[in-house]
Amino acid sequence: MFASLLIANRGEIARRIIRTARRMGMRTIALATEADRSWPHWREADEAVFIGEGPAADSYLSIEKILRAAEETGAEAVHPGYGFLSENAHFAEACAEAGLTFVGPPAAAMRAMGSKSEAKALMEAAGVPVVPGYHGERQEPDFLRRKAYEIGYPVLIKAVAGGGGRGMRRVDKAKDFDAALQSARREAQGAFGDPRVLIERYVTAPRHIEIQVFADQHGHVVHLYERDCSVQRRHQKVLEEAPAPGMSEELRAAMGEAAVKAARAVGYEGAGTVEFIADGAGGLKADGFFFMEMNTRLQVEHPVTEAVTGLDLVEWQLRVAAGESLPLTQEAIPLRGHAIEARLYAEDPSSGFAPGTGRIVAADFPAGEGVRVDSGVDAGTRVSPFYDSMLAKVIASGADRRQALERLEAALAATRFAGPRTNLAFLLAILRSPEFSAGGVDTGFVDAKGEALTARPDLAPLALSLVAQEIARRAPAPDPASPWSGCEGFELGGLERQLAVPCLVDGEAREVRLLWRGGRPHAPDVAAARATDGLVQVSSEDALYLLQDGHQAVLAFPDPLGRSLAEVAGENLVRAPMHGRITRLGVAEGDRVEAGELLFTLEAMKMEHSILAPAAGRVAALLAVEGEQVEEGAEIVRLEPVAQAAQTAPAEALDEVSR
Ligand code: ADP
Ligand code: ADP
Ligand code: MG
């Protein structure tokens, strides 16, 4: 077995691979970027190599940098995880040339399956059922339109090089074909640098059922049964389960056999997944499934297979890559119970699943019987815009589907997550829907339910009334000895007075309102705003997070004094733009600086960055020393405007608050 393993990936999958490699006695080597400083994956490895600032093209997708890291650390093998370079045949070859074992299939098998159209032709020849359609070389719009007509509408246009649902268009009527073709080609060109498409019949009531396969270097090929991944948004999987609801022994055997045939046809080795589309109309049938594509890597949803077989798929991958035979024969592979996985993404389902970024304030997943959490993040982790927005996976298993479902629902309901918006409430809504609960939904399920799954309740009234209550509670009781209390006639501002405190709810300007009466503030009733069942409050240094049913509202108080100073002085706090070391401080406290003058230099990624004064001013405070390692965003220099007294009006700013 290998003595050391470099994991060419990040986040939850890097951590998951490290776990198994370490158990098998390997030295683990992780990669990271400056944008991943706050991520746990690289700290858990025995060693970590920083390979870039942030953008994937210059880090996790850079074959050159990864090979250099492997050389520097003396790695013997490379595990690519999924995404990034995992299905890149060049990378597999480059690893071999560098004397490294690539934990994955041979480059030739990756190439054969890399093009959806070539893969389909190969599968047809091998006797594996494929969706009826055209997957040849010709690409003229007139020809493809004629093919679509022959296949019969609805049809699906797919990018030959596709992945992640991109470059895919469903067309229901002939008159829409040309426009759909154009836009599919554009998207395919943009995403994969290859505009070629294929046309196939759109399977109605389609269910995505895939088979996990494994092959070794000695000609053994087995399958580890199926996973149902039909709950998708925009052709991206959201929930996955094993076994597939409604699966018969007969169909399982037929699909397993077809998948093994597919793997054999391309000389496969290692872990792979053969994806099929099954016609779910009127229930699954042994002759109603078609090959879609083969993913030549470990899959995001592999934990559900691990749960129902009791096997460790990463261990199997490493054993196969090291030349060992498959640990079990087909008959010896167990299948028991049921497992469901939910993918937690930093995204906003209520605005088209737009990905979110920012610092995670809380990430507490419950431990429960039958619950596994593969998380890439902790409290304090910063989600950057550079990579896939998946944060964690929660996998629940049980004796049967009902038990797995109940456990998953309970685990997600008890998850406390604050920070960037997530799809947590969306996941809960799916699990609680009667359709998912009944089992066997098709891939149209999420779209068909629409807003029922994605709507976001307005938590702002609740947040505002809770804060008002809190202010009222903390207000000092009237002092009976004071001539000012009890004598309402003397109260400043009259008998009754409204107090409005400006605040931000989810970044929008709002006001906390209180009524001042009898010398005490009175707050509106919380219960009137919204039921507080299951409400959790999490506070960070600058905001309050209200969590309920997977939804979140963020309440913050702008600092009007700080802001008015900043506005007058320009940016008065100069921060480190990235993690690094302060190599030189160019100023001392009390110095006057002009705009553009050097404040300090920062060494990051072997480069020196000069940080200049954004505006003229005086150095009010130096918050770092030369040689110090600083975090991204750390305050280094505080400037104050030179003609401070003349320019700022703190009294007025304060006045603004109380008005
Ligand atoms: P699976 O069937 O395993 O879910 P996906 O198509 O969802 O396959 O992709 C696997 C994972 O890799 C997903 O998290 C996806 O977002 C991520 N991914 C896909 N393409 C890339 C890429 N080019 N770079 C980084 N991650 C990617
Ligand atoms: P990708 O490479 O993006 O994963 P796939 O070919 O695996 O592309 O298809 C992704 C999803 O698109 C499937 O899981 C399924 O929901 C849908 N899909 C693909 N082919 C068909 C089809 N012929 N009919 C209906 N839905 C399909
Ligand atoms: Mg696919």
Side-chain angles (χ1 to χ4, degrees):
M1 190 45 62
F2 315 110
S4 56
L5 179 72
L6 181 139
I7 297 112
N9 217 294
R10 60 184 296 282
E12 61 82 29
I13 188 58
R15 290 175 106 180
R16 191 259 165 273
I17 295 165
I18 289 171
R19 261 197 319 271
T20 292
R22 177 162 292 152
R23 181 171 56 70
M24 293 173 74
M26 288 169 219
R27 178 167 60 97
T28 56
I29 302 145
L31 300 180
T33 61
E34 290 304 321
D36 276 347
R37 276 279 169 195
S38 60
W39 284 66
H41 68 262
W42 62 270
R43 273 185 236 116
E44 279 172 16
D46 297 311
E47 280 171 58
V49 183
F50 278 72
I51 53 163
E53 294 289 342
D58 195 33
S59 55
Y60 298 104
L61 286 173
S62 166
I63 295 180
E64 192 195 320
K65 286 188 171 176
I66 293 169
L67 291 183
R68 202 183 312 141
E71 197 190 333
E72 279 170 16
T73 54
E76 270 181 45
V78 174
H79 195 308
Y82 40 69
F84 295 128
L85 294 171
S86 61
E87 297 187 89
N88 186 309
H90 284 302
F91 182 53
E93 280 163 350
C95 284
E97 277 161 29
L100 295 158
T101 303
F102 176 77
V103 181
M110 288 162 99
R111 284 212 173 85
M113 288 297 185
S115 152
K116 284 188 203 290
S117 50
E118 279 167 43
K120 282 188 170 137
L122 257 168
M123 291 304 109
E124 263 182 334
V128 176
V130 304
V131 189
Y134 175 75
H135 38 78
E137 278 303 308
R138 293 185 60 179
Q139 295 289 316
E140 315 91 84
D142 286 345
F143 176 81
L144 292 176
R145 194 184 325 103
R146 197 163 68 242
K147 282 290 162 198
Y149 178 78
E150 285 167 23
I151 294 162
Y153 285 94
V155 298
L156 196 62
I157 304 175
K158 265 189 200 181
V160 164
R166 282 165 304 173
M168 202 181 287
R169 296 286 182 283
R170 172 184 166 157
V171 193
D172 291 315
K173 296 189 192 73
K175 73 169 175 52
D176 300 328
F177 185 84
D178 289 356
L181 176 64
Q182 261 188 27
S183 93
R185 288 176 62 90
R186 238 189 343 262
E187 190 170 300
Q189 175 65 43
F192 314 109
D194 180 350
R196 288 176 303 150
V197 297
L198 59 89
I199 316 285
E200 63 187 33
R201 202 180 90 208
Y202 186 84
V203 177
T204 46
R207 285 180 59 185
H208 176 117
I209 300 181
E210 59 187 30
I211 303 281
Q212 175 71 52
V213 295
F214 247 102
D216 63 19
Q217 301 172 16
H218 313 286
H220 307 117
V221 187
V222 297
H223 69 85
L224 279 66
Y225 315 109
E226 80 279 5
R227 292 183 290 255
D228 187 332
C229 315
S230 301
V231 180
Q232 304 181 346
R233 56 134 181 99
R234 306 187 164 172
H235 305 297
Q236 268 286 350
K237 299 160 187 171
V238 181
L239 287 166
E240 303 102 340
E241 60 183 305
M247 176 61 88
S248 65
E249 275 310 323
E250 187 195 6
L251 178 58
R252 177 174 294 134
M255 291 183 81
E257 199 183 307
V260 165
K261 220 188 269 178
R264 280 196 193 284
V266 293
Y268 205 76
E269 285 167 23
T273 293
V274 184
E275 295 189 331
F276 294 100
I277 191 100
D279 189 344
L284 296 174
K285 292 165 290 294
D287 60 351
F289 69 93
F290 311 98
F291 171 87
M292 240 181 341
E293 67 166 341
M294 180 168 188
N295 292 328
T296 54
R297 53 170 162 87
L298 188 71
Q299 205 101 339
V300 173
E301 55 274 21
H302 74 279
V304 297
T305 297
E306 297 188 321
V308 295
T309 59
L311 303 171
D312 180 333
L313 268 55
V314 173
E315 179 184 339
W316 275 42
Q317 285 190 293
L318 292 166
R319 291 196 181 289
V320 165
E324 293 182 21
S325 287
L326 288 178
L328 294 175
T329 58
Q330 187 67 62
E331 305 70 49
I333 297 169
L335 176 63
R336 44 174 180 243
H338 200 100
I340 312 178
E341 170 182 281
R343 301 186 184 193
L344 184 72
Y345 284 101
E347 66 183 17
D348 183 0
S350 71
S351 62
F353 298 95
T357 58
R359 187 169 160 272
I360 296 174
V361 173
D364 299 329
F365 299 96
E369 202 187 340
V371 175
R372 162 176 170 181
V373 179
D374 282 17
S375 166
V377 299
D378 287 328
T381 302
R382 262 174 210 282
V383 181
S384 74
F386 298 118
Y387 319 111
D388 190 76
S389 55
M390 195 173 80
L391 304 174
K393 305 180 301 204
V394 181
I395 306 102
S397 52
D400 55 18
R401 187 170 191 271
R402 176 115 319 265
Q403 190 176 42
L405 181 57
E406 280 169 12
R407 286 175 171 173
L408 183 58
E409 203 253 347
L412 292 178
T415 294
R416 273 179 12 143
F417 191 95
R421 232 172 240 167
T422 70
N423 65 340
L424 188 55
F426 172 68
L427 294 171
L428 281 166
I430 295 174
L431 293 176
R432 289 168 181 166
S433 71
E435 295 89 342
F436 183 78
S437 183
V441 297
D442 65 49
T443 62
F445 166 67
V446 168
D447 281 343
K449 291 283 279 190
E451 294 231 324
L453 299 175
T454 56
R456 186 158 57 87
D458 184 10
L459 294 182
L462 175 63
L464 296 175
S465 55
L466 277 172
V467 171
Q469 292 276 337
E470 188 59 23
I471 295 175
R473 201 176 61 76
R474 289 197 201 173
D479 175 0
S482 160
W484 298 104
S485 43
C487 317
E488 291 176 349
F490 282 96
E491 200 186 353
L492 265 169
L495 282 175
E496 267 193 11
R497 180 160 78 94
Q498 277 244 17
L499 180 70
V501 183
C503 67
L504 295 169
V505 180
D506 292 327
E508 264 178 49
R510 306 292 287 257
E511 283 177 337
V512 176
R513 287 180 176 277
L514 289 119
L515 194 62
W516 214 273
R517 198 193 304 127
R520 288 201 53 84
H522 293 263
D525 192 11
V526 171
R530 190 183 163 85
T532 53
D533 304 348
L535 188 75
V536 174
Q537 304 186 29
V538 177
S539 37
S540 70
E541 58 270 27
D542 49 13
L544 174 73
Y545 293 77
L546 292 182
L547 313 177
Q548 190 177 40
D549 260 344
H551 294 289
Q552 160 182 296
V554 190
L555 193 108
F557 290 90
D559 175 358
L561 183 59
R563 178 180 288 186
S564 70
L565 279 173
E567 274 162 16
V568 175
E571 178 63 84
N572 61 349
L573 253 183
V574 184
R575 298 168 186 275
M578 62 198 87
H579 181 106
R581 195 170 64 89
I582 305 280
T583 43
R584 185 174 151 229
L585 283 171
V587 291
E589 271 178 27
D591 281 1
R592 284 188 62 154
V593 293
E594 296 303 322
E597 213 170 292
L598 177 83
L599 295 179
F600 60 94
T601 57
L602 182 77
E603 187 188 80
M605 290 310 299
K606 299 189 179 102
M607 269 173 57
E608 193 165 88
H609 306 263
S610 297
I611 313 302
L612 312 177
R618 190 196 316 275
V619 178
L622 271 182
L623 305 162
V625 296
E626 275 183 12
E628 189 177 336
Q629 286 284 347
V630 293
E631 288 282 321
E632 173 190 332
E635 301 173 357
I636 310 295
V637 180
R638 185 170 295 149
L639 293 174
E640 63 185 7
V642 185
Q644 192 178 13
Q647 289 185 0
T648 57
E652 268 169 43
L654 272 176
D655 211 33
E656 196 99 27
V657 190
S658 50
R659 234 184 285 134

